[in-house]
């Protein structure tokens, strides 16, 4: 039983949970401000696909990271305009964004990369270092203090 929980497994769990931690922290502030943000998953999908596609095309993970953040902000702006300007229901709009973003990345991947729904493999030297994990843990502590 002791062989199951290794340091590598624990580190992998922390590393792979980083996007979920960051999305949960954003959702926490969203809920505290009174906005029901069901579209968090759609924002993550848009950002992840854009970051992977731009990183593959540009060869720079930091440009891909900025592009992914921009895509997430664009989807958030769509959600905000629909809910604030046009008074759409937040849950319905968030669900619609999630459904749209479930289909949009595979469609665009097929169009851009002639693949069956995934971006091409990104080389190891084009991946981000461990800094997002450190940032997520620091933000987690900061939000706990706030």
């Amino acid at each position: 039983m002791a062989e199951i929980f290794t340091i590598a497994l624990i580190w992998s769990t922390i590393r792979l949970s980083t996007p979920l931690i960051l999305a949960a922290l954003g959702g926490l502030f969203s809920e505290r401000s009174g906005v029901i943000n069901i579209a968090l998953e759609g924002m993550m999908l848009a950002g992840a696909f854009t970051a992977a596609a731009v990183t593959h095309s540009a060869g720079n993970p930091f440009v891909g990271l900025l592009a992914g953040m921009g895509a997430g902000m664009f989807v958030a702006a769509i959600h905000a305009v629909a809910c604030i300007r046009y008074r759409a229901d937040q849950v319905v709009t968030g669900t619609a964004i999630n459904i749209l973003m479930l289909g949009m990345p595979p469609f665009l991947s097929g169009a851009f990369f002639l693949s069956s729904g995934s971006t091409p493999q990104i080389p190891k030297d084009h991946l981000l270092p461990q800094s997002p994990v450190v940032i997520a843990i620091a933000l987690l502590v900061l939000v706990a203090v706030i």
Side-chain angles (χ1 to χ4, degrees):
M1 185 70 169
E3 295 174 5
I4 294 175
F5 296 108
T6 62
I7 297 297
L9 176 68
I10 293 170
W11 177 245
S12 263
T13 303
I14 292 170
R15 183 177 50 84
L16 292 174
S17 67
T18 299
L20 297 174
I21 291 170
L22 294 173
L25 291 175
L28 182 129
F29 279 109
S30 178
E31 289 287 333
R32 294 288 294 163
S33 70
V35 176
I36 301 169
N37 196 352
I38 301 294
L40 288 172
E41 184 179 353
M43 291 177 204
M44 287 174 55
L45 286 168
F49 172 75
T50 304
V54 170
T55 298
H56 174 72
S57 299
N60 187 340
F62 295 103
V63 173
L65 179 65
L66 289 175
M69 290 177 0
M73 289 186 335
F74 179 71
V75 173
I78 292 171
H79 183 56
V81 167
C83 293
I84 295 170
R85 172 77 171 100
Y86 297 108
R87 306 244 186 242
D89 186 68
Q90 296 171 6
V91 174
V92 173
T93 305
T95 304
I97 287 173
N98 283 341
I99 292 171
L100 177 68
M101 289 303 144
L102 279 174
M104 189 65 70
F107 173 74
L108 291 176
S109 182
F112 293 153
F113 304 113
L114 302 174
S115 70
S116 62
S118 62
T119 57
Q121 185 73 26
I122 297 173
K124 281 198 177 256
D125 60 334
H126 291 169
L127 296 177
L128 285 174
Q130 301 302 328
S131 57
V133 175
V134 175
I135 291 169
I137 292 171
L139 286 174
L140 188 64
V141 171
L142 180 67
V143 168
V145 170
I146 291 174

